[in-house]
Amino acid sequence: MTSECHPRLSEAACAKLQSDYVDIRREMRQQANETGEAAAIPITVMQLEAIIRLNESLAKMKLSHVATESDVTEVLRLFKVSTMDAARSGINQHIHFTPDMANDIKVCRH
């Protein structure tokens, strides 16, 4: 017998992802306005689609048919850390980290 698992985001997970995406975009826009430069680490619609796929993949790894709010939290954490890691490695030399971002990087290094 073959079982298939094709998870989708729950309504609550969709709402959380939507809210967090808007918050991240707002923070990037605010940072750009304050510095007069383009956002150092933008989040695009293409990245949002990738984040949705990662949420579904995380749920699939747990053999769950639903991606939950906790999956969204974890995937966004991974996205932020991996994006910051890429930025820190020199991909973008003009990065302006918020205090929270700098703290996340410090935590990840240890």
Side-chain angles (χ1 to χ4, degrees), residues 7-9 13 17 43 45-62 64 66-83:
R8 294 291 178 244
L9 274 80
L17 182 55
I43 181 169
V45 173
M46 186 180 286
Q47 289 169 315
L48 177 61
E49 291 169 352
I51 289 168
I52 292 168
R53 288 191 303 275
L54 287 169
N55 275 286
E56 292 168 349
S57 296
L58 183 59
K60 191 173 196 174
M61 287 181 358
K62 298 186 290 184
S64 174
V66 178
T68 65
E69 291 172 89
S70 65
D71 294 327
V72 169
T73 299
E74 177 61 9
V75 168
L76 285 174
R77 184 191 71 78
L78 292 169
F79 171 78
K80 289 176 183 177
V81 170
S82 66
T83 301

PDB file of all heavy atoms in Angstrom, residues 7-9 13 17 43 45-62 64 66-83:
ATOM      1  N   PRO A   7       1.178  17.986   1.890  1.00  0.00           N
ATOM      2  CA  PRO A   7       0.724  18.981   2.872  1.00  0.00           C
ATOM      3  C   PRO A   7       0.398  20.338   2.246  1.00  0.00           C
ATOM      4  O   PRO A   7       0.966  20.726   1.236  1.00  0.00           O
ATOM      5  CB  PRO A   7       1.910  19.125   3.821  1.00  0.00           C
ATOM      6  CG  PRO A   7       2.846  18.045   3.490  1.00  0.00           C
ATOM      7  CD  PRO A   7       2.550  17.584   2.117  1.00  0.00           C
ATOM      8  N   ARG A   8      -0.501  21.014   2.881  1.00  0.00           N
ATOM      9  CA  ARG A   8      -0.852  22.394   2.544  1.00  0.00           C
ATOM     10  C   ARG A   8      -0.859  23.196   3.834  1.00  0.00           C
ATOM     11  O   ARG A   8      -1.037  22.646   4.925  1.00  0.00           O
ATOM     12  CB  ARG A   8      -2.226  22.476   1.876  1.00  0.00           C
ATOM     13  CG  ARG A   8      -2.269  21.808   0.514  1.00  0.00           C
ATOM     14  CD  ARG A   8      -1.430  22.620  -0.484  1.00  0.00           C
ATOM     15  NE  ARG A   8      -1.412  21.994  -1.791  1.00  0.00           N
ATOM     16  CZ  ARG A   8      -0.324  21.515  -2.367  1.00  0.00           C
ATOM     17  NH1 ARG A   8       0.826  21.553  -1.746  1.00  0.00           N
ATOM     18  NH2 ARG A   8      -0.379  20.988  -3.556  1.00  0.00           N
ATOM     19  N   LEU A   9      -0.700  24.503   3.720  1.00  0.00           N
ATOM     20  CA  LEU A   9      -0.721  25.349   4.899  1.00  0.00           C
ATOM     21  C   LEU A   9      -2.129  25.430   5.468  1.00  0.00           C
ATOM     22  O   LEU A   9      -3.099  25.557   4.722  1.00  0.00           O
ATOM     23  CB  LEU A   9      -0.256  26.766   4.550  1.00  0.00           C
ATOM     24  CG  LEU A   9       1.252  27.003   4.579  1.00  0.00           C
ATOM     25  CD1 LEU A   9       1.892  26.487   3.323  1.00  0.00           C
ATOM     26  CD2 LEU A   9       1.548  28.459   4.765  1.00  0.00           C
ATOM     27  N   ALA A  13      -1.800  29.024   9.610  1.00  0.00           N
ATOM     28  CA  ALA A  13      -0.431  29.152   9.111  1.00  0.00           C
ATOM     29  C   ALA A  13      -0.366  30.170   7.979  1.00  0.00           C
ATOM     30  O   ALA A  13       0.574  30.972   7.902  1.00  0.00           O
ATOM     31  CB  ALA A  13       0.094  27.797   8.644  1.00  0.00           C
ATOM     32  N   LEU A  17       1.877  33.520   8.096  1.00  0.00           N
ATOM     33  CA  LEU A  17       2.857  33.782   7.049  1.00  0.00           C
ATOM     34  C   LEU A  17       2.580  35.128   6.376  1.00  0.00           C
ATOM     35  O   LEU A  17       3.493  35.917   6.146  1.00  0.00           O
ATOM     36  CB  LEU A  17       2.861  32.656   6.015  1.00  0.00           C
ATOM     37  CG  LEU A  17       3.881  32.785   4.893  1.00  0.00           C
ATOM     38  CD1 LEU A  17       5.293  32.939   5.435  1.00  0.00           C
ATOM     39  CD2 LEU A  17       3.789  31.574   3.975  1.00  0.00           C
ATOM     40  N   ILE A  43      12.913  40.751   0.747  1.00  0.00           N
ATOM     41  CA  ILE A  43      12.141  39.521   0.644  1.00  0.00           C
ATOM     42  C   ILE A  43      11.145  39.757  -0.489  1.00  0.00           C
ATOM     43  O   ILE A  43      10.368  40.708  -0.461  1.00  0.00           O
ATOM     44  CB  ILE A  43      11.448  39.128   1.972  1.00  0.00           C
ATOM     45  CG1 ILE A  43      10.676  37.828   1.804  1.00  0.00           C
ATOM     46  CG2 ILE A  43      10.602  40.245   2.520  1.00  0.00           C
ATOM     47  CD1 ILE A  43      10.165  37.214   3.092  1.00  0.00           C
ATOM     48  N   VAL A  45       8.384  38.259  -3.687  1.00  0.00           N
ATOM     49  CA  VAL A  45       7.298  37.296  -3.867  1.00  0.00           C
ATOM     50  C   VAL A  45       7.873  35.918  -4.202  1.00  0.00           C
ATOM     51  O   VAL A  45       7.381  34.894  -3.732  1.00  0.00           O
ATOM     52  CB  VAL A  45       6.312  37.776  -4.960  1.00  0.00           C
ATOM     53  CG1 VAL A  45       5.285  36.703  -5.274  1.00  0.00           C
ATOM     54  CG2 VAL A  45       5.621  39.054  -4.511  1.00  0.00           C
ATOM     55  N   MET A  46       8.960  35.893  -4.980  1.00  0.00           N
ATOM     56  CA  MET A  46       9.592  34.614  -5.318  1.00  0.00           C
ATOM     57  C   MET A  46      10.098  33.926  -4.046  1.00  0.00           C
ATOM     58  O   MET A  46       9.953  32.704  -3.895  1.00  0.00           O
ATOM     59  CB  MET A  46      10.745  34.823  -6.296  1.00  0.00           C
ATOM     60  CG  MET A  46      11.341  33.517  -6.794  1.00  0.00           C
ATOM     61  SD  MET A  46      12.696  33.778  -7.940  1.00  0.00           S
ATOM     62  CE  MET A  46      11.780  34.297  -9.391  1.00  0.00           C
ATOM     63  N   GLN A  47      10.669  34.698  -3.131  1.00  0.00           N
ATOM     64  CA  GLN A  47      11.126  34.121  -1.870  1.00  0.00           C
ATOM     65  C   GLN A  47       9.943  33.655  -1.031  1.00  0.00           C
ATOM     66  O   GLN A  47      10.028  32.638  -0.348  1.00  0.00           O
ATOM     67  CB  GLN A  47      11.971  35.132  -1.099  1.00  0.00           C
ATOM     68  CG  GLN A  47      13.329  35.354  -1.742  1.00  0.00           C
ATOM     69  CD  GLN A  47      14.047  36.536  -1.152  1.00  0.00           C
ATOM     70  OE1 GLN A  47      13.460  37.592  -0.965  1.00  0.00           O
ATOM     71  NE2 GLN A  47      15.333  36.369  -0.872  1.00  0.00           N
ATOM     72  N   LEU A  48       8.847  34.389  -1.081  1.00  0.00           N
ATOM     73  CA  LEU A  48       7.645  33.981  -0.357  1.00  0.00           C
ATOM     74  C   LEU A  48       7.152  32.634  -0.873  1.00  0.00           C
ATOM     75  O   LEU A  48       6.796  31.745  -0.089  1.00  0.00           O
ATOM     76  CB  LEU A  48       6.547  35.037  -0.485  1.00  0.00           C
ATOM     77  CG  LEU A  48       5.208  34.702   0.165  1.00  0.00           C
ATOM     78  CD1 LEU A  48       5.360  34.496   1.672  1.00  0.00           C
ATOM     79  CD2 LEU A  48       4.184  35.792  -0.124  1.00  0.00           C
ATOM     80  N   GLU A  49       7.159  32.450  -2.176  1.00  0.00           N
ATOM     81  CA  GLU A  49       6.754  31.164  -2.752  1.00  0.00           C
ATOM     82  C   GLU A  49       7.676  30.043  -2.288  1.00  0.00           C
ATOM     83  O   GLU A  49       7.220  28.940  -1.970  1.00  0.00           O
ATOM     84  CB  GLU A  49       6.735  31.256  -4.275  1.00  0.00           C
ATOM     85  CG  GLU A  49       5.634  32.151  -4.799  1.00  0.00           C
ATOM     86  CD  GLU A  49       5.760  32.466  -6.288  1.00  0.00           C
ATOM     87  OE1 GLU A  49       6.800  32.120  -6.900  1.00  0.00           O
ATOM     88  OE2 GLU A  49       4.812  33.053  -6.830  1.00  0.00           O
ATOM     89  N   ALA A  50       8.967  30.323  -2.220  1.00  0.00           N
ATOM     90  CA  ALA A  50       9.924  29.329  -1.729  1.00  0.00           C
ATOM     91  C   ALA A  50       9.657  29.007  -0.263  1.00  0.00           C
ATOM     92  O   ALA A  50       9.736  27.845   0.153  1.00  0.00           O
ATOM     93  CB  ALA A  50      11.353  29.831  -1.918  1.00  0.00           C
ATOM     94  N   ILE A  51       9.322  30.026   0.518  1.00  0.00           N
ATOM     95  CA  ILE A  51       9.017  29.818   1.935  1.00  0.00           C
ATOM     96  C   ILE A  51       7.776  28.938   2.086  1.00  0.00           C
ATOM     97  O   ILE A  51       7.727  28.057   2.956  1.00  0.00           O
ATOM     98  CB  ILE A  51       8.857  31.177   2.650  1.00  0.00           C
ATOM     99  CG1 ILE A  51      10.234  31.853   2.774  1.00  0.00           C
ATOM    100  CG2 ILE A  51       8.202  31.030   4.008  1.00  0.00           C
ATOM    101  CD1 ILE A  51      10.179  33.303   3.190  1.00  0.00           C
ATOM    102  N   ILE A  52       6.783  29.132   1.233  1.00  0.00           N
ATOM    103  CA  ILE A  52       5.587  28.278   1.266  1.00  0.00           C
ATOM    104  C   ILE A  52       5.972  26.839   0.963  1.00  0.00           C
ATOM    105  O   ILE A  52       5.551  25.909   1.670  1.00  0.00           O
ATOM    106  CB  ILE A  52       4.518  28.797   0.279  1.00  0.00           C
ATOM    107  CG1 ILE A  52       3.961  30.135   0.766  1.00  0.00           C
ATOM    108  CG2 ILE A  52       3.402  27.760   0.089  1.00  0.00           C
ATOM    109  CD1 ILE A  52       3.117  30.866  -0.255  1.00  0.00           C
ATOM    110  N   ARG A  53       6.795  26.636  -0.064  1.00  0.00           N
ATOM    111  CA  ARG A  53       7.228  25.269  -0.401  1.00  0.00           C
ATOM    112  C   ARG A  53       8.028  24.646   0.745  1.00  0.00           C
ATOM    113  O   ARG A  53       7.883  23.451   1.039  1.00  0.00           O
ATOM    114  CB  ARG A  53       8.042  25.269  -1.695  1.00  0.00           C
ATOM    115  CG  ARG A  53       7.199  25.518  -2.930  1.00  0.00           C
ATOM    116  CD  ARG A  53       7.962  25.258  -4.223  1.00  0.00           C
ATOM    117  NE  ARG A  53       9.185  26.039  -4.345  1.00  0.00           N
ATOM    118  CZ  ARG A  53       9.256  27.280  -4.813  1.00  0.00           C
ATOM    119  NH1 ARG A  53       8.163  27.896  -5.198  1.00  0.00           N
ATOM    120  NH2 ARG A  53      10.423  27.900  -4.893  1.00  0.00           N
ATOM    121  N   LEU A  54       8.868  25.445   1.400  1.00  0.00           N
ATOM    122  CA  LEU A  54       9.634  24.923   2.537  1.00  0.00           C
ATOM    123  C   LEU A  54       8.712  24.526   3.689  1.00  0.00           C
ATOM    124  O   LEU A  54       8.959  23.517   4.363  1.00  0.00           O
ATOM    125  CB  LEU A  54      10.658  25.954   3.012  1.00  0.00           C
ATOM    126  CG  LEU A  54      11.866  26.148   2.098  1.00  0.00           C
ATOM    127  CD1 LEU A  54      12.667  27.368   2.527  1.00  0.00           C
ATOM    128  CD2 LEU A  54      12.729  24.899   2.096  1.00  0.00           C
ATOM    129  N   ASN A  55       7.662  25.305   3.913  1.00  0.00           N
ATOM    130  CA  ASN A  55       6.690  24.942   4.949  1.00  0.00           C
ATOM    131  C   ASN A  55       6.035  23.607   4.628  1.00  0.00           C
ATOM    132  O   ASN A  55       5.884  22.757   5.506  1.00  0.00           O
ATOM    133  CB  ASN A  55       5.608  26.033   5.074  1.00  0.00           C
ATOM    134  CG  ASN A  55       6.025  27.141   5.986  1.00  0.00           C
ATOM    135  OD1 ASN A  55       6.054  26.976   7.195  1.00  0.00           O
ATOM    136  ND2 ASN A  55       6.372  28.275   5.427  1.00  0.00           N
ATOM    137  N   GLU A  56       5.639  23.436   3.390  1.00  0.00           N
ATOM    138  CA  GLU A  56       5.018  22.177   2.983  1.00  0.00           C
ATOM    139  C   GLU A  56       6.006  21.023   3.096  1.00  0.00           C
ATOM    140  O   GLU A  56       5.644  19.926   3.513  1.00  0.00           O
ATOM    141  CB  GLU A  56       4.462  22.313   1.566  1.00  0.00           C
ATOM    142  CG  GLU A  56       3.287  23.282   1.507  1.00  0.00           C
ATOM    143  CD  GLU A  56       2.868  23.680   0.104  1.00  0.00           C
ATOM    144  OE1 GLU A  56       3.604  23.384  -0.870  1.00  0.00           O
ATOM    145  OE2 GLU A  56       1.788  24.309  -0.028  1.00  0.00           O
ATOM    146  N   SER A  57       7.268  21.274   2.760  1.00  0.00           N
ATOM    147  CA  SER A  57       8.296  20.236   2.881  1.00  0.00           C
ATOM    148  C   SER A  57       8.546  19.856   4.333  1.00  0.00           C
ATOM    149  O   SER A  57       8.721  18.671   4.651  1.00  0.00           O
ATOM    150  CB  SER A  57       9.604  20.700   2.239  1.00  0.00           C
ATOM    151  OG  SER A  57       9.426  20.891   0.862  1.00  0.00           O
ATOM    152  N   LEU A  58       8.568  20.850   5.206  1.00  0.00           N
ATOM    153  CA  LEU A  58       8.764  20.573   6.631  1.00  0.00           C
ATOM    154  C   LEU A  58       7.624  19.709   7.163  1.00  0.00           C
ATOM    155  O   LEU A  58       7.855  18.737   7.884  1.00  0.00           O
ATOM    156  CB  LEU A  58       8.875  21.880   7.413  1.00  0.00           C
ATOM    157  CG  LEU A  58       9.148  21.771   8.910  1.00  0.00           C
ATOM    158  CD1 LEU A  58      10.449  21.023   9.181  1.00  0.00           C
ATOM    159  CD2 LEU A  58       9.201  23.157   9.535  1.00  0.00           C
ATOM    160  N   ALA A  59       6.395  20.041   6.776  1.00  0.00           N
ATOM    161  CA  ALA A  59       5.250  19.236   7.196  1.00  0.00           C
ATOM    162  C   ALA A  59       5.351  17.822   6.619  1.00  0.00           C
ATOM    163  O   ALA A  59       5.054  16.844   7.303  1.00  0.00           O
ATOM    164  CB  ALA A  59       3.948  19.900   6.761  1.00  0.00           C
ATOM    165  N   LYS A  60       5.798  17.729   5.385  1.00  0.00           N
ATOM    166  CA  LYS A  60       5.924  16.421   4.739  1.00  0.00           C
ATOM    167  C   LYS A  60       6.949  15.547   5.467  1.00  0.00           C
ATOM    168  O   LYS A  60       6.752  14.342   5.623  1.00  0.00           O
ATOM    169  CB  LYS A  60       6.325  16.603   3.274  1.00  0.00           C
ATOM    170  CG  LYS A  60       6.223  15.355   2.440  1.00  0.00           C
ATOM    171  CD  LYS A  60       6.471  15.697   0.976  1.00  0.00           C
ATOM    172  CE  LYS A  60       5.994  14.578   0.094  1.00  0.00           C
ATOM    173  NZ  LYS A  60       6.101  14.933  -1.335  1.00  0.00           N
ATOM    174  N   MET A  61       8.039  16.165   5.931  1.00  0.00           N
ATOM    175  CA  MET A  61       9.052  15.412   6.677  1.00  0.00           C
ATOM    176  C   MET A  61       8.468  14.812   7.946  1.00  0.00           C
ATOM    177  O   MET A  61       8.922  13.766   8.414  1.00  0.00           O
ATOM    178  CB  MET A  61      10.243  16.308   7.025  1.00  0.00           C
ATOM    179  CG  MET A  61      11.090  16.625   5.834  1.00  0.00           C
ATOM    180  SD  MET A  61      12.561  17.663   6.114  1.00  0.00           S
ATOM    181  CE  MET A  61      12.579  18.091   7.801  1.00  0.00           C
ATOM    182  N   LYS A  62       7.445  15.471   8.486  1.00  0.00           N
ATOM    183  CA  LYS A  62       6.780  14.976   9.694  1.00  0.00           C
ATOM    184  C   LYS A  62       5.582  14.092   9.343  1.00  0.00           C
ATOM    185  O   LYS A  62       4.855  13.662  10.224  1.00  0.00           O
ATOM    186  CB  LYS A  62       6.313  16.154  10.558  1.00  0.00           C
ATOM    187  CG  LYS A  62       7.455  17.021  11.047  1.00  0.00           C
ATOM    188  CD  LYS A  62       6.993  18.093  12.009  1.00  0.00           C
ATOM    189  CE  LYS A  62       6.180  19.155  11.321  1.00  0.00           C
ATOM    190  NZ  LYS A  62       5.793  20.265  12.207  1.00  0.00           N
ATOM    191  N   SER A  64       2.899  14.985   7.979  1.00  0.00           N
ATOM    192  CA  SER A  64       1.686  15.708   8.328  1.00  0.00           C
ATOM    193  C   SER A  64       1.047  16.232   7.052  1.00  0.00           C
ATOM    194  O   SER A  64       1.732  16.638   6.120  1.00  0.00           O
ATOM    195  CB  SER A  64       2.025  16.877   9.254  1.00  0.00           C
ATOM    196  OG  SER A  64       0.889  17.667   9.485  1.00  0.00           O
ATOM    197  N   VAL A  66      -0.794  18.836   7.048  1.00  0.00           N
ATOM    198  CA  VAL A  66      -1.020  20.264   7.253  1.00  0.00           C
ATOM    199  C   VAL A  66       0.250  20.915   7.789  1.00  0.00           C
ATOM    200  O   VAL A  66       0.855  20.430   8.737  1.00  0.00           O
ATOM    201  CB  VAL A  66      -2.179  20.496   8.254  1.00  0.00           C
ATOM    202  CG1 VAL A  66      -2.376  21.975   8.513  1.00  0.00           C
ATOM    203  CG2 VAL A  66      -3.467  19.863   7.755  1.00  0.00           C
ATOM    204  N   ALA A  67       0.641  22.020   7.155  1.00  0.00           N
ATOM    205  CA  ALA A  67       1.737  22.837   7.681  1.00  0.00           C
ATOM    206  C   ALA A  67       1.127  23.817   8.679  1.00  0.00           C
ATOM    207  O   ALA A  67       0.143  24.479   8.382  1.00  0.00           O
ATOM    208  CB  ALA A  67       2.429  23.586   6.551  1.00  0.00           C
ATOM    209  N   THR A  68       1.713  23.869   9.851  1.00  0.00           N
ATOM    210  CA  THR A  68       1.141  24.634  10.958  1.00  0.00           C
ATOM    211  C   THR A  68       1.862  25.968  11.161  1.00  0.00           C
ATOM    212  O   THR A  68       2.864  26.262  10.512  1.00  0.00           O
ATOM    213  CB  THR A  68       1.243  23.827  12.258  1.00  0.00           C
ATOM    214  OG1 THR A  68       2.644  23.660  12.560  1.00  0.00           O
ATOM    215  CG2 THR A  68       0.564  22.469  12.138  1.00  0.00           C
ATOM    216  N   GLU A  69       1.342  26.737  12.119  1.00  0.00           N
ATOM    217  CA  GLU A  69       1.976  28.007  12.487  1.00  0.00           C
ATOM    218  C   GLU A  69       3.404  27.776  12.987  1.00  0.00           C
ATOM    219  O   GLU A  69       4.288  28.587  12.715  1.00  0.00           O
ATOM    220  CB  GLU A  69       1.158  28.710  13.559  1.00  0.00           C
ATOM    221  CG  GLU A  69      -0.175  29.224  13.068  1.00  0.00           C
ATOM    222  CD  GLU A  69      -1.032  29.745  14.199  1.00  0.00           C
ATOM    223  OE1 GLU A  69      -0.914  30.946  14.508  1.00  0.00           O
ATOM    224  OE2 GLU A  69      -1.793  28.943  14.769  1.00  0.00           O
ATOM    225  N   SER A  70       3.621  26.692  13.709  1.00  0.00           N
ATOM    226  CA  SER A  70       4.983  26.426  14.194  1.00  0.00           C
ATOM    227  C   SER A  70       5.919  26.110  13.029  1.00  0.00           C
ATOM    228  O   SER A  70       7.108  26.443  13.076  1.00  0.00           O
ATOM    229  CB  SER A  70       4.993  25.297  15.229  1.00  0.00           C
ATOM    230  OG  SER A  70       4.598  24.083  14.656  1.00  0.00           O
ATOM    231  N   ASP A  71       5.402  25.492  11.972  1.00  0.00           N
ATOM    232  CA  ASP A  71       6.213  25.269  10.773  1.00  0.00           C
ATOM    233  C   ASP A  71       6.591  26.605  10.148  1.00  0.00           C
ATOM    234  O   ASP A  71       7.734  26.811   9.731  1.00  0.00           O
ATOM    235  CB  ASP A  71       5.455  24.411   9.750  1.00  0.00           C
ATOM    236  CG  ASP A  71       5.198  22.993  10.238  1.00  0.00           C
ATOM    237  OD1 ASP A  71       6.041  22.453  10.992  1.00  0.00           O
ATOM    238  OD2 ASP A  71       4.154  22.429   9.878  1.00  0.00           O
ATOM    239  N   VAL A  72       5.649  27.524  10.070  1.00  0.00           N
ATOM    240  CA  VAL A  72       5.914  28.856   9.517  1.00  0.00           C
ATOM    241  C   VAL A  72       6.991  29.556  10.342  1.00  0.00           C
ATOM    242  O   VAL A  72       7.939  30.128   9.786  1.00  0.00           O
ATOM    243  CB  VAL A  72       4.619  29.709   9.466  1.00  0.00           C
ATOM    244  CG1 VAL A  72       4.938  31.168   9.139  1.00  0.00           C
ATOM    245  CG2 VAL A  72       3.632  29.131   8.463  1.00  0.00           C
ATOM    246  N   THR A  73       6.874  29.487  11.648  1.00  0.00           N
ATOM    247  CA  THR A  73       7.862  30.117  12.531  1.00  0.00           C
ATOM    248  C   THR A  73       9.254  29.560  12.261  1.00  0.00           C
ATOM    249  O   THR A  73      10.222  30.310  12.135  1.00  0.00           O
ATOM    250  CB  THR A  73       7.469  29.905  14.009  1.00  0.00           C
ATOM    251  OG1 THR A  73       6.198  30.518  14.231  1.00  0.00           O
ATOM    252  CG2 THR A  73       8.502  30.494  14.955  1.00  0.00           C
ATOM    253  N   GLU A  74       9.363  28.241  12.161  1.00  0.00           N
ATOM    254  CA  GLU A  74      10.665  27.609  11.937  1.00  0.00           C
ATOM    255  C   GLU A  74      11.218  27.953  10.559  1.00  0.00           C
ATOM    256  O   GLU A  74      12.406  28.277  10.427  1.00  0.00           O
ATOM    257  CB  GLU A  74      10.563  26.092  12.103  1.00  0.00           C
ATOM    258  CG  GLU A  74      11.856  25.345  11.829  1.00  0.00           C
ATOM    259  CD  GLU A  74      13.022  25.725  12.740  1.00  0.00           C
ATOM    260  OE1 GLU A  74      12.835  26.465  13.726  1.00  0.00           O
ATOM    261  OE2 GLU A  74      14.157  25.292  12.449  1.00  0.00           O
ATOM    262  N   VAL A  75      10.407  27.911   9.543  1.00  0.00           N
ATOM    263  CA  VAL A  75      10.890  28.206   8.194  1.00  0.00           C
ATOM    264  C   VAL A  75      11.326  29.668   8.089  1.00  0.00           C
ATOM    265  O   VAL A  75      12.353  29.963   7.477  1.00  0.00           O
ATOM    266  CB  VAL A  75       9.834  27.835   7.127  1.00  0.00           C
ATOM    267  CG1 VAL A  75      10.200  28.402   5.771  1.00  0.00           C
ATOM    268  CG2 VAL A  75       9.688  26.318   7.049  1.00  0.00           C
ATOM    269  N   LEU A  76      10.581  30.574   8.682  1.00  0.00           N
ATOM    270  CA  LEU A  76      10.994  31.979   8.651  1.00  0.00           C
ATOM    271  C   LEU A  76      12.290  32.187   9.432  1.00  0.00           C
ATOM    272  O   LEU A  76      13.143  32.981   9.035  1.00  0.00           O
ATOM    273  CB  LEU A  76       9.884  32.885   9.181  1.00  0.00           C
ATOM    274  CG  LEU A  76       8.716  33.079   8.214  1.00  0.00           C
ATOM    275  CD1 LEU A  76       7.596  33.860   8.890  1.00  0.00           C
ATOM    276  CD2 LEU A  76       9.153  33.775   6.942  1.00  0.00           C
ATOM    277  N   ARG A  77      12.449  31.464  10.524  1.00  0.00           N
ATOM    278  CA  ARG A  77      13.706  31.533  11.281  1.00  0.00           C
ATOM    279  C   ARG A  77      14.863  31.067  10.393  1.00  0.00           C
ATOM    280  O   ARG A  77      15.901  31.732  10.298  1.00  0.00           O
ATOM    281  CB  ARG A  77      13.637  30.675  12.536  1.00  0.00           C
ATOM    282  CG  ARG A  77      14.892  30.777  13.424  1.00  0.00           C
ATOM    283  CD  ARG A  77      14.913  29.708  14.512  1.00  0.00           C
ATOM    284  NE  ARG A  77      15.155  28.380  13.970  1.00  0.00           N
ATOM    285  CZ  ARG A  77      16.364  27.927  13.601  1.00  0.00           C
ATOM    286  NH1 ARG A  77      17.425  28.699  13.688  1.00  0.00           N
ATOM    287  NH2 ARG A  77      16.504  26.709  13.127  1.00  0.00           N
ATOM    288  N   LEU A  78      14.672  29.939   9.725  1.00  0.00           N
ATOM    289  CA  LEU A  78      15.710  29.422   8.838  1.00  0.00           C
ATOM    290  C   LEU A  78      16.000  30.384   7.692  1.00  0.00           C
ATOM    291  O   LEU A  78      17.154  30.592   7.319  1.00  0.00           O
ATOM    292  CB  LEU A  78      15.302  28.051   8.279  1.00  0.00           C
ATOM    293  CG  LEU A  78      15.254  26.913   9.295  1.00  0.00           C
ATOM    294  CD1 LEU A  78      14.597  25.688   8.683  1.00  0.00           C
ATOM    295  CD2 LEU A  78      16.648  26.598   9.804  1.00  0.00           C
ATOM    296  N   PHE A  79      14.960  30.971   7.136  1.00  0.00           N
ATOM    297  CA  PHE A  79      15.132  31.933   6.045  1.00  0.00           C
ATOM    298  C   PHE A  79      15.961  33.127   6.506  1.00  0.00           C
ATOM    299  O   PHE A  79      16.913  33.532   5.831  1.00  0.00           O
ATOM    300  CB  PHE A  79      13.770  32.410   5.530  1.00  0.00           C
ATOM    301  CG  PHE A  79      13.878  33.555   4.563  1.00  0.00           C
ATOM    302  CD1 PHE A  79      14.240  33.339   3.248  1.00  0.00           C
ATOM    303  CD2 PHE A  79      13.652  34.852   4.988  1.00  0.00           C
ATOM    304  CE1 PHE A  79      14.362  34.390   2.356  1.00  0.00           C
ATOM    305  CE2 PHE A  79      13.767  35.915   4.109  1.00  0.00           C
ATOM    306  CZ  PHE A  79      14.125  35.680   2.792  1.00  0.00           C
ATOM    307  N   LYS A  80      15.607  33.667   7.645  1.00  0.00           N
ATOM    308  CA  LYS A  80      16.321  34.840   8.145  1.00  0.00           C
ATOM    309  C   LYS A  80      17.784  34.509   8.432  1.00  0.00           C
ATOM    310  O   LYS A  80      18.685  35.266   8.070  1.00  0.00           O
ATOM    311  CB  LYS A  80      15.645  35.390   9.399  1.00  0.00           C
ATOM    312  CG  LYS A  80      14.316  36.060   9.108  1.00  0.00           C
ATOM    313  CD  LYS A  80      13.635  36.495  10.389  1.00  0.00           C
ATOM    314  CE  LYS A  80      12.276  37.090  10.123  1.00  0.00           C
ATOM    315  NZ  LYS A  80      11.581  37.440  11.376  1.00  0.00           N
ATOM    316  N   VAL A  81      18.024  33.382   9.065  1.00  0.00           N
ATOM    317  CA  VAL A  81      19.392  33.000   9.397  1.00  0.00           C
ATOM    318  C   VAL A  81      20.196  32.733   8.129  1.00  0.00           C
ATOM    319  O   VAL A  81      21.322  33.200   7.990  1.00  0.00           O
ATOM    320  CB  VAL A  81      19.413  31.772  10.336  1.00  0.00           C
ATOM    321  CG1 VAL A  81      20.816  31.221  10.486  1.00  0.00           C
ATOM    322  CG2 VAL A  81      18.842  32.142  11.691  1.00  0.00           C
ATOM    323  N   SER A  82      19.621  32.015   7.168  1.00  0.00           N
ATOM    324  CA  SER A  82      20.366  31.702   5.951  1.00  0.00           C
ATOM    325  C   SER A  82      20.610  32.958   5.124  1.00  0.00           C
ATOM    326  O   SER A  82      21.671  33.124   4.527  1.00  0.00           O
ATOM    327  CB  SER A  82      19.634  30.647   5.115  1.00  0.00           C
ATOM    328  OG  SER A  82      18.405  31.145   4.623  1.00  0.00           O
ATOM    329  N   THR A  83      19.654  33.850   5.092  1.00  0.00           N
ATOM    330  CA  THR A  83      19.822  35.098   4.356  1.00  0.00           C
ATOM    331  C   THR A  83      20.891  35.953   5.014  1.00  0.00           C
ATOM    332  O   THR A  83      21.743  36.530   4.342  1.00  0.00           O
ATOM    333  CB  THR A  83      18.484  35.858   4.273  1.00  0.00           C
ATOM    334  OG1 THR A  83      17.527  35.023   3.626  1.00  0.00           O
ATOM    335  CG2 THR A  83      18.620  37.148   3.500  1.00  0.00           C
TER     336      THR A  83
END
